[in-house]
Amino acid sequence: MSTLLTVMLFHVFAVIALAVWLSGSKNVLFFQGCVGINGQRFHTIKFQSMTAVAEWPATPDTLSFQDY
């Protein structure tokens, strides 16, 4: 089932990857190791969506619901 869904969403993933690449990020994908149930390790692959330099510091006192 997950393989079928991945194949069906391939075009969406391609558009997201193109948008990340055009935004100036040299790495489109981000690989992260995680720890799951019973300490079992697994790897995730994510789209690189964070910038290296933020416009303002994200502290709890500067965040509000209107920012989202």
Side-chain angles (χ1 to χ4, degrees), residues 14-56:
V15 169
I16 293 171
L18 181 64
V20 170
W21 183 68
L22 289 175
S23 71
S25 179
K26 58 183 173 179
N27 294 329
V28 174
L29 297 176
F30 171 71
F31 299 91
Q32 181 179 15
C34 299
V35 179
I37 298 174
N38 298 326
Q40 192 172 27
R41 295 180 182 260
F42 64 96
H43 300 281
T44 60
I45 302 172
K46 303 176 181 181
F47 288 107
Q48 185 78 27
S49 60
M50 298 185 69
T51 59
V53 178
E55 293 181 16
W56 47 270

Side-chain angles (χ1 to χ4, degrees), residues 56 60-68:
W56 47 270
D61 58 314
T62 60
L63 292 176
S64 69
F65 290 109
Q66 295 173 348
D67 293 332
Y68 300 105

